[in-house]
Amino acid sequence: MTPITGIIITLNEADNVVDCITSLQRVCEEVIVVDSGSKDDTVSLAEAAGARVIHQSYLGDGPQKAFAVPQAQHDWILALDADERLDDDAVTAIQQLTLDDPRQAYRFRRRNFAGNHWIRAAGFYPDPVTRLYNRTTSGYLPKKAHSSVQAPSVVDLDVHIRHFTYRDLSHWITRIDQLSSRDAWAMKERGKRPSRYRPVLHALSATLRKLILKGGIFQGPDGFTVAMTTAFHAYMKYAKLNELYENERANSDDV
């Protein structure tokens, strides 16, 4: 089997990091964790599980995921988020790949969970993600939020990654708060300007997209849950972008 390096980025992922490392070790000869200042036991747990830990202040989603790639021992890279695991079918498929064409990257289907509940509605499945690629031809785009792998060619594998997205509905709301703050920061970093209209317009657009275009209106409670939380996320990230600029102006006025 062609050797693969697994890469995970972490911040306070003590509850997840060991299971993620163990999952990657099923197909990877090396696992690297890029930690951006965890205050919990993430680093010690990762090292005890056999991963090599590299410390790097958070650079944004794409740059952070790309940071460890030059330090990997192998050209083939398999990137997982800390709350993701390879399903058995993905492990079997990866073990059977020849990985003889560096121009090809591989895309997996992702199963998103809230607690033990697999959510399939409104675009939450199959949620395709490209995670296995060769660093000589491919890599994460330098986007600070919601980056993805760019490759000359992508092969779709009918196998799965499990994504333990939320522990429960309360954690779902907490994560929206955290991720919308990150997204607002990333938008400001790339020069996105504030607007009083964008929060509402993007929330309405997200609702229509999830309920109508993605069929959530016909998919019961899960469809409406996905639509409402997506709209809330969209509203909050643009509202928080406005807030960042407001705080910046207030601070400059105080000087």
Side-chain angles (χ1 to χ4, degrees):
M1 178 177 168
T2 302
I4 302 170
T5 292
I7 293 179
I8 313 165
I9 65 172
T10 58
L11 175 63
N12 298 327
E13 293 286 358
D15 292 340
N16 284 315
V17 69
V18 172
D19 286 344
C20 187
I21 291 168
T22 301
S23 177
L24 284 171
Q25 287 172 334
R26 299 177 70 185
V27 294
C28 296
E29 291 194 0
E30 171 191 39
V31 177
I32 298 175
V33 170
V34 183
D35 188 77
S36 54
S38 292
K39 303 301 183 184
D40 60 10
D41 294 329
T42 297
V43 171
S44 59
L45 289 169
E47 290 175 338
R52 175 158 59 101
V53 177
I54 300 172
H55 300 274
Q56 173 59 48
S57 299
Y58 190 62
L59 302 169
D61 186 47
Q64 193 77 0
K65 287 176 177 176
F67 179 79
V69 171
Q71 303 176 63
Q73 295 179 13
H74 310 299
D75 286 339
W76 282 96
I77 306 296
L78 177 57
L80 289 186
D81 291 339
D83 56 1
E84 294 177 338
R85 316 283 180 262
L86 297 172
D87 251 348
D88 289 342
D89 60 359
V91 170
T92 299
I94 292 169
Q95 290 172 339
Q96 293 175 350
L97 292 173
T98 58
L99 299 180
D100 54 1
D101 185 351
R103 297 168 300 174
Q104 286 186 343
Y106 295 88
R107 187 157 48 209
F108 301 80
R109 295 180 170 218
R110 187 162 61 171
R111 300 196 295 162
N112 296 291
F113 289 82
N116 294 317
H117 182 53
W118 176 17
I119 299 178
R120 314 181 201 194
F124 261 45
Y125 183 79
D127 191 20
V129 287
T130 303
R131 293 301 175 78
L132 178 59
Y133 63 94
N134 191 294
R135 66 180 175 183
T136 64
T137 64
S138 311
Y140 274 91
L141 294 168
K143 294 175 60 179
K144 293 184 180 293
H146 308 293
S147 184
S148 58
V149 172
Q150 185 176 51
S153 175
V154 177
V155 176
D156 284 296
L157 299 175
D158 189 14
V159 298
H160 297 86
I161 291 172
R162 283 170 291 146
H163 185 202
F164 296 103
T165 325
Y166 313 111
R167 292 190 297 271
D168 49 35
L169 291 175
S170 295
H171 183 233
W172 197 332
I173 300 302
T174 300
R175 287 292 289 159
I176 288 174
D177 184 33
Q178 296 168 342
L179 294 174
S180 60
S181 295
R182 184 200 68 180
D183 293 345
W185 167 80
M187 288 191 292
K188 189 173 185 296
E189 285 287 299
R190 67 173 187 264
K192 192 80 168 180
R193 303 302 300 171
S195 166
R196 61 186 298 184
Y197 303 110
R198 282 201 193 103
V200 173
L201 292 175
H202 281 270
L204 289 174
S205 174
T207 303
L208 292 173
R209 184 174 70 254
K210 291 297 185 179
L211 284 180
I212 306 303
L213 297 180
K214 296 294 184 179
I217 195 171
F218 305 111
Q219 297 168 328
D222 282 355
F224 280 90
T225 299
V226 171
M228 295 302 102
T229 52
T230 303
F232 180 51
H233 187 170
Y235 183 90
M236 290 306 298
K237 71 180 182 181
Y238 284 97
K240 288 180 179 183
L241 174 65
N242 292 346
E243 185 179 60
L244 289 175
Y245 279 99
E246 290 170 4
N247 292 339
E248 186 177 72
R249 286 194 296 269
N251 291 335
S252 64
D253 290 342
D254 291 339
V255 175

